[in-house]
Amino acid sequence: MSSENLPQSPEQPTRKPRVAVVFGGRSSEHGISVVTAGAVLRAIDRTKYEVLPIGITRDGRWALTADEPERMAINDRRTPAVEDLTDSGDGAVVLPVDPANREVVYSEPGSVPKALGEVDVVFPMLHGPYGEDGTLQGLLELSGVPYVGSGVLASAVGQDKEYMKRVFTSFGLRVGPYLVIRPREWERDEAGARRRIAEFAGEHGWPLFVKPARAGSSIGITKLESFEGLDEAMAEARQHDPKIIVEAAVRGREIECGVLEFEEGPRASLPAEIPPPDAHAYYDFEAKYIDSTPGIVPAPLTGEQTAEVQRLAVAAFEAASCEGLVRADFFLAEDGEFVINEINTMPGFTPISMYPQMWQASGVGYAELVDRLIQAALNRSTGLR
């Protein structure tokens, strides 16, 4: 009998890739993560992808949330929370830990667990510790689930400002003067730590910036114009991280540049400039997210300066072994040289955030940017690479 006469089984419809958008989390950047996820949920092409929104509450519970991005915006100068988007206070979402099984399960006390289907890729819209710092990336590696953005090492390096600067220095990138106060030093020899800060100020001058070493979104940062106020600055930073980094001011212009991974490798966007905000001492959390201080895109730089900051942004991306996307932040110092301040492996991603704005000016719109990141993750394996 020829194969043409064999009974034919009906063709199974091709399932669209399922994208789990994970957001919220236990860090102090919880609210901004929710806002960012709302923008991504609005932009994902529903004709190409199925979407599963998963929020992580402030206490770490993984919750099934409503797919209602209009509820995930800043309102009356307040950021939203995952707790506002879930109907159940007890139910929990569980990701698989078996690489052979990508089935996501939802369970509530006293009920039979419900399978939510397989997840093909995770879009982790988490900022700060317990999400952007390699912890979630490690879980996804163990689970064998592809995900958007950098892997464990690059995520950890991108979160820790001390080791980020050490990596950049080892690759020949110029960083500004800084001092690290580790938890045990402050707890065991506070007077000695104060002397080190005083000596640092004597060498580099005021102002100084006292920062949590492993936080973002300018949260917990204090600009000090003198030694007065150090106690308050340390207390504020230590609310977010027991490890503190003290940075000397770099006098110059603030310049940012986006990096996006294309098929042929990472490419830099047109850069942006962050002008000094009128109502704020520096570009802090309120200036970034509440008052939405506008940046200048593209930055008014010479052609040579634009090419140089783009080169340095890609060099920083490569130095930290990043994947997917990065926003690299620089100062154009008064001597005409660029000083790298930091990278952000999961930058603010609302349409008014600088990273999407820089790519919009470079010819990649917001929806295309989201799609490129999802496709890159789907085409990249987990594990050593």
Side-chain angles (χ1 to χ4, degrees):
M1 182 183 290
S2 71
S3 61
E4 294 179 352
N5 296 324
L6 289 172
Q8 302 295 312
S9 59
E11 290 188 6
Q12 297 296 319
T14 302
R15 181 176 66 80
K16 291 183 289 188
R18 182 174 287 113
V19 182
V21 179
V22 180
F23 58 94
R26 294 163 56 192
S27 83
S28 52
E29 298 176 75
H30 177 101
I32 291 303
S33 173
V34 177
V35 174
T36 300
V40 170
L41 287 171
R42 278 190 291 270
I44 290 179
D45 186 349
R46 304 306 176 99
T47 67
K48 291 179 64 174
Y49 306 106
E50 294 181 13
V51 177
L52 179 64
I54 300 174
I56 302 177
T57 63
R58 294 181 190 275
D59 61 4
R61 180 174 62 89
W62 290 50
L64 189 61
T65 64
D67 187 4
E68 299 176 3
E70 65 276 4
R71 295 171 57 191
M72 303 165 70
I74 295 174
N75 189 22
D76 292 332
R77 302 178 68 86
R78 296 182 62 183
T79 56
V82 167
E83 290 82 352
D84 302 328
L85 303 168
T86 178
D87 295 330
S88 171
D90 299 319
V93 174
V94 180
L95 284 183
V97 292
D98 178 0
N101 173 27
R102 293 183 181 175
E103 190 85 28
V104 175
V105 174
Y106 177 75
S107 63
E108 290 184 286
S111 300
V112 176
K114 177 184 177 182
L116 301 178
E118 291 190 349
V119 166
D120 298 290
V121 63
V122 169
F123 204 136
M125 302 308 307
L126 293 155
H127 301 307
Y130 313 110
E132 190 184 351
D133 59 349
T135 50
L136 178 63
Q137 290 74 17
L139 172 64
L140 296 173
E141 292 286 350
L142 289 172
S143 302
V145 180
Y147 54 93
V148 170
S150 290
V152 175
L153 174 65
S155 297
V157 168
Q159 190 65 46
D160 190 311
K161 293 177 176 60
E162 176 195 0
Y163 288 99
M164 181 196 308
K165 293 175 188 292
R166 289 181 181 273
V167 167
F168 290 157
T169 301
S170 71
F171 277 81
L173 297 170
R174 181 182 173 189
V175 305
Y178 68 96
L179 174 71
V180 176
I181 304 296
R182 301 182 185 280
R184 284 191 293 270
E185 179 181 4
W186 186 255
E187 292 159 7
R188 296 177 182 176
D189 186 12
E190 188 175 317
R194 289 171 179 278
R195 283 194 297 273
R196 290 183 62 215
I197 295 172
E199 291 168 1
F200 183 77
E203 180 179 358
H204 299 289
W206 302 95
L208 299 180
F209 291 87
V210 178
K211 302 180 177 182
R214 294 164 292 192
S217 297
S218 297
I219 291 174
I221 297 176
T222 301
K223 180 181 180 180
L224 285 181
E225 298 288 353
S226 69
F227 211 74
E228 184 179 352
L230 177 63
D231 288 348
E232 293 82 358
M234 292 295 291
E236 172 63 23
R238 284 173 59 83
Q239 286 188 49
H240 306 280
D241 188 350
K243 178 179 174 181
I244 307 301
I245 189 165
V246 181
E247 295 177 347
V250 178
R251 305 190 186 281
R253 298 160 61 188
E254 288 194 50
I255 306 294
E256 297 183 350
C257 190
V259 180
L260 179 64
E261 196 166 9
F262 287 77
E263 291 79 2
E264 70 277 10
R267 188 189 305 173
S269 71
L270 289 171
E273 180 167 4
I274 308 299
D278 294 333
H280 301 268
Y282 61 98
Y283 194 46
D284 61 8
F285 179 87
E286 294 269 330
K288 284 182 180 179
Y289 297 110
I290 305 301
D291 295 329
S292 300
T293 302
I296 303 170
V297 187
L301 300 171
T302 67
E304 291 79 7
Q305 289 171 329
T306 295
E308 176 65 2
V309 76
Q310 289 175 323
R311 181 188 73 81
L312 292 170
V314 172
F317 183 96
E318 298 281 27
S321 299
C322 295
E323 295 170 289
L325 73 164
V326 148
R327 192 193 72 230
D329 300 345
F330 296 86
F331 294 104
L332 178 54
E334 292 177 341
D335 63 7
E337 299 294 321
F338 284 100
V339 177
I340 188 163
N341 184 36
E342 63 183 41
I343 57 171
N344 196 313
T345 56
M346 188 52 71
F349 213 87
T350 69
I352 64 169
S353 297
M354 295 312 303
Y355 184 85
Q357 283 196 55
M358 289 186 286
W359 278 110
Q360 180 73 48
S362 306
V364 180
Y366 191 86
E368 181 186 351
L369 188 58
V370 170
D371 187 68
R372 279 189 171 276
L373 290 168
I374 293 172
Q375 287 296 319
L378 286 168
N379 292 328
R380 187 173 66 232
S381 65
T382 55
L384 298 178
R385 52 190 182 272

